[in-house]
Amino acid sequence: MSDVVERTLSVLPGLLGQHKPGAGPGDTGGPGRVSASSRLGSLIRSITALTSKHEEEKLIQQELSSLKATVSAPTTTLRLMKECMVRLIYCEMLGYESSFGYIHAIKLAQQGNLLEKRVGYLAVSLFLHENHELLLLLVNTVVKDLQSTNLVEVCMALTIVSQIFPREMIPAVLPLIEDKLQHSKEIIRRKAVQALYKFYLIAPNQVQHIHDKFRKALCDRDAGVMAASLHIYLQMIKENSSGYKDLTGSFVTILKQVVGGKLPVDFNYHSVPAPWLQIQLLRILGLLGKDDPRTSELMYDVLDESLRRAEINHNITYAILFECVHTIYTIHPKTELLEKAAKCIGKFVLSPKINLKYLGLKALTYVIQQDPNLALQHQMTIIECLDHQDPIIKRETLELLYRITNGQNVVVIVQKMLDYLKESKEEYAIINLVGKIAELAEKYAPDNEWFIQTMNAVFSAGGDVVHPDIPNNFLRLLAEGFDDGNEDDQLRMYAVQSYLALLEEEGALYPQKFLQVMSWVLGQYSSLATDVDPEVILTKLHSLLKKAFVTSETKVWIMAAVTKIASRTSCSKTVDKVIQEFSNSLDTSMRQFAFELKHLSEDKALMKNLLPYDASCSDIVVDASLSFLDGFVAEGLGRGAAPYKPHHQRQEEKLSQEKALNFEPYGLSFASSVSSSGITGRQSPTGLSFASDMSGNSAETGHKETNALKLEGVRKLWGKEGYLPKKEKTGKENEPQTVPCGGLLAGEVGDPPPSGPDQAAILSEGDKEKQQLASSLFIGLGSSAGVSLMGKSDTATQKFKRKSKINETQNSEEISDFQSSAALDFDPLLGTAPLNVEDCEENLHTMLRKASLSSSDLVEDTLAFETPQSEKKCGLDDRLPDSRLSQSSLFTDGNIEILQPSPSAQCEGASKTPLVPALPEELELHTHSEVMELCQNDALVLHLCKVWTNDSLLLIVFVSNKTTSALNAVNLVFEEAEHFQILESLTYQFPLIEAQSVEHCQKCVWMEKISAHGIISGSVNYQSEMETCLEFSITLSLLDFIRPMEMTTEDFGKLWLSLSNDVKQNIKMSSSQGSLSEALNTLQQKLKLHIVDIIGNEGILACQLLPSVPCLLHCRTHSGMLALWFRSPCSALPDGLLYQCQKVMEES
Amino acid sequence: MIKFFLMVNKQGQTRLSRYYEHIEINKRAMLEAEVIKHCLSRSKDQCSFIEYKDFKLVYRQYAALFVVVGINETENEMAVYELIHNFVEVLDKYFSRVIMFNLDRVHIILDEMVLNGCIVETNRNRILAPLLVLDKVAES
């Protein structure tokens, strides 16, 4: 049997054809090839022969101990070591750790000859992970092999680097790998690019300076090297697609060549040219063309060609087609292509091959939101897939239906989902599906009854794995209610009745979460069901309390419900029983509840006061500091009680008493103890209260839990508004198109399926059922006439008006917005008053800045170096690609205007001139960039100017109103940026911008996370006829945040020693740079570093990253090289600056 | 992104495993057992892609051997499905018969094709080139 297993590959009929006797090197290979007799072979055989896990474990342990002896014996040859390594790999693969061999793997990589070395590297890559400490020992070997004259060794070293390499050692190999990019052999260049990709993944900052080399790799004469560079580009474009739009043309050309069969034949796979490369390129194009009509325009042709070429009937062409369709639906749409893509999806969906059907469904799911009609076309197929015997297909279909759910088809779709839920056992699938059902139920529920029943099904099927948000949101919905109080009570009452019915069933087991929901609702709202005697409910809860399957957490919920109901009844036998039974319960929290209940029921008035009806939504103010206990504490302290010590402090003290030797410096521990005891007086009660919160014993916490918890501070996963409004809109747009679909009764008919006519002819009962199902599933997707197959248009009205509240509030907001803007329009006083305030504020700001500047100006004469002009130049150099981009975009804009000399365009052109923004005088004093255009539309132009003040970077955004009427309430909103922090607020509002005038706002920005470049994006929105939004993005460089730092040589020395993060690098100086002082001057001018001192061939410089992170630089020249040595308290800063230095030195 | 590449036989014994994301050794065995259980539960006329936890499995069966690849949602299932076949074709071209006793060489071949979860080379000649050189050197 085992032999059969091992020979599997040779029995493949398809492959036998290619198998020639003695094929190539296969039979003549090294000793490892005579495998049947090898030690690994016998190990595998004996393990395969075993029958129990226990025997396997024994055998492997035996094997491992013999291996351990062999590898550590000094006499072991490298060849034997290699063989041992393979066996170790095998043992680890079976799950038995063999860490004793790791170091030997590294040794083997170091000492072995070629094949041994390769196996050593292989073992390292399999055994160690990225952060393993032994990995550092590999670095030397890698460096040596990279410099080897033997290409095979270089190859191996590059392979291991691209698999696993310690991040902090990248600088040690980076120059060597960069050299390899010019190697004459393609395989070396290709592997070097792969290694750089790895570096990009683990430390993007380190490879920033070689982006132009990536471009060279992209244009490499060898297709393999080019393909390798695509991985880097895919990654970079994913992170920032706007930076690489200029490469779109190149990617398109490459794809054209690949599709056109211009690559060598051995790149073909089953006569399809480089399919995986095509897929990679299509992905890149998708990312580039997304939401960008101009870029998308460039790729329409090649996408069309890809679709056309991929017509061979083979799996791999379907993979390409799938990617193609994905790209076509991702980029800016073009009708012709969309039609072709839709046809393609149709082919997939209708295919008898199950894998293609799956892909078809997946594609449909992706495109369905853009094109709901496609679902209509394939509705019968979708229905069939719903009852498919393969659960994976079913699940994918449900995913599709989930996307097209609306108020009219929700009942059918949710029913299908619940059916599936009942069959599935996998926890992950259940959680996922339950979440979706709950979401749909909440959004589209047609009536109370259905909603409660569905949620009941969710809670019973989902069991205790449901996401905690689901019960929380459900209870919140019930508690907060909707616009109509009557409706609320009906819903609540229905819930109460349904739970009572459920609890009626003898012996039914419900999940804990469901029981908790039930008890909360019963406790809160059972009085709504006036026809039910509270005593009956109490009896039911009481019997639940005695059930063994109810956990103690749930019991607390039930107990809380009992308490709440008890507050509304005069006297109850059951309550007395509960008190009696649990007063001596072993569960302390239950006992606590029982006691509370007992005392409260003695004072009904207090109880009513404490547990008001339907107050779950009112806010409860909790005095977290427990200040009311202060007096008590003070009294205690006065009587000589020891001050309270927090738990961790007690722990520490206990530890320090136990310890024989104290290794901690005394000064520090003393300081901390003083400071903490200094605040204990105030803090102590808080600490105590937290402790009691945890145990849940105190009366207050108990009630807090039942009343307010779960409803406040719960993350709102789902908004109450669905995307129904959007749906309705698309539905309307599609109306004319859906009319022809009305003929669908005739079958799926006219279109591709050959089986169509037959089906139409014999409309069996089953088909009728399916069509009925279809008509209920796809209702609401188009016009009802187009959908209802049975000619019965069922317009289910949406009774459950969950969303209306939101709509109303939105409306009212809009109205109030409108009112306020109207007020602005008509009341000049109102309109200008806020503006003045803003102005004043701004003036104040600038005045303050000016003051701070002038004072520092006196001290810092170094700044004199930075004339605004040089500043401007370097700023421009920095973002050359950007400016090129904006230039080109300007150019095309110009073109359009010339081509269409409409009066409005001319008028616009004429009106442009006066709208050139200028910096306010007080800011002109600072160094600043030129005013650049950010974006514009018909009404607005945005300009940006960066002002580099001593203590911050100011972004001045000018908003110019091009129109002939004033604009009200123009909002400037910045998005949260990953690397930057915008001080004060992210938004700015211009209450009014007069016609043909310019307003500006300024924002102070700090860099939070260090990176060479980063983007802040944002948008301007304003109200004209409709809400209009204009987006922009601002590129900021690290240099924008670097300022010189004044210090003396002594200070420098002290600071230098105290800093830990350092980076060293040698860079070549060009002959033009000549001496050290010239090089330093370049750095001073371009990077704004401060030269502290120059002694002989050494120089020291200092700068700071705003607001105040210092970075010190030590430079030394020797034989045409400049040795740079950075130190800073921040680990990423030296890397970033080093990169800038390299760039500056290369440029000059 | 490819998350892992497995070869497992019908008895559930792992013949090759390569992970592109670090997973603890003891968790690997469990994962592999579950993966093969899923694959074995599928019939020939069911589709070759399985949704499993938060990722997908793409598998192909060759006689008693399953090749299973774990991928995330950004990957094209069909492209991976064919990658498996390409891999098997390369193995077939190189090895004349039993492959499983040559664990190291199978790994070397796979490393040429997939790196860091990305498909890096699919050209058969280029995949085999480094290994063939090693063999030649070992021979002489």
Side-chain angles (χ1 to χ4, degrees), chain A residues 113 123 214 333 351 700 801:
Chain A
N113 70 19
F214 295 156
S351 165
E700 270 156 286
K801 292 174 189 115

Side-chain angles (χ1 to χ4, degrees), chain A residues 222 316 321 355 361 576 579:
Chain A
D222 183 86
I316 195 66
L321 279 179
N355 285 345
L361 287 172
D576 296 340
I579 294 172

Side-chain angles (χ1 to χ4, degrees), chain A residues 380-399:
Chain A
M380 291 318 283
T381 322
I382 295 173
I383 301 283
E384 274 161 27
C385 289
L386 257 186
D387 290 323
H388 203 278
Q389 43 91 18
D390 187 348
I392 297 290
I393 296 284
K394 261 193 203 175
R395 194 165 147 187
E396 197 61 34
T397 316
L398 288 178
E399 178 72 37

Side-chain angles (χ1 to χ4, degrees), chain A residues 6 27 33 162 222 390, chain B residues 15 42 48 94 96 116 126:
Chain A
E6 309 304 343
D27 281 350
R33 200 65 48 79
S162 38
D222 183 86
D390 187 348
Chain B
R15 291 303 187 210
R42 317 263 310 156
S48 316
Y94 179 77
S96 52
N116 294 310
R126 292 188 170 196

Side-chain angles (χ1 to χ4, degrees), chain A residues 346 349-351 357 374-385 740-763 767 770-771 774 778 789:
Chain A
V349 174
L350 294 167
S351 165
K357 211 179 245 323
L374 221 47
L376 290 174
Q377 275 173 33
H378 298 296
Q379 44 183 323
M380 291 318 283
T381 322
I382 295 173
I383 301 283
E384 274 161 27
C385 289
C741 288
L744 267 173
L745 176 63
E748 317 109 82
V749 180
D751 268 21
S755 59
D758 304 346
Q759 254 181 354
I762 337 153
L763 254 181
D767 287 342
K770 276 182 191 168
Q771 294 201 342
F778 297 97
L789 289 165

Side-chain angles (χ1 to χ4, degrees), chain A residues 416-475:
Chain A
K416 287 283 164 194
M417 289 175 138
L418 286 173
D419 291 348
Y420 183 85
L421 192 63
K422 275 169 203 141
E423 289 164 22
S424 63
K425 289 171 205 81
E426 205 207 336
E427 192 177 304
Y428 194 87
I430 294 177
I431 297 175
N432 185 322
L433 205 55
V434 157
K436 282 180 178 153
I437 296 174
E439 184 193 341
L440 292 179
E442 206 177 287
K443 268 189 203 164
Y444 301 119
D447 57 57
N448 293 337
E449 195 174 331
W450 182 87
F451 180 63
I452 297 294
Q453 293 294 359
T454 306
M455 290 312 286
N456 286 352
V458 163
F459 289 129
S460 2
D464 287 318
V465 295
V466 296
H467 196 279
D469 276 354
I470 296 176
N472 291 351
N473 276 4
F474 174 66
L475 294 184

Side-chain angles (χ1 to χ4, degrees), chain A residues 733-790:
Chain A
E733 281 167 5
N734 289 323
E735 233 157 345
Q737 291 170 9
T738 45
V739 177
C741 288
L744 267 173
L745 176 63
E748 317 109 82
V749 180
D751 268 21
S755 59
D758 304 346
Q759 254 181 354
I762 337 153
L763 254 181
S764 70
E765 273 303 298
D767 287 342
K768 264 187 201 162
E769 256 172 48
K770 276 182 191 168
Q771 294 201 342
Q772 202 141 21
L773 179 60
S775 69
S776 50
L777 271 179
F778 297 97
I779 192 164
L781 271 184
S783 65
S784 58
V787 188
S788 82
L789 289 165
M790 305 306 283

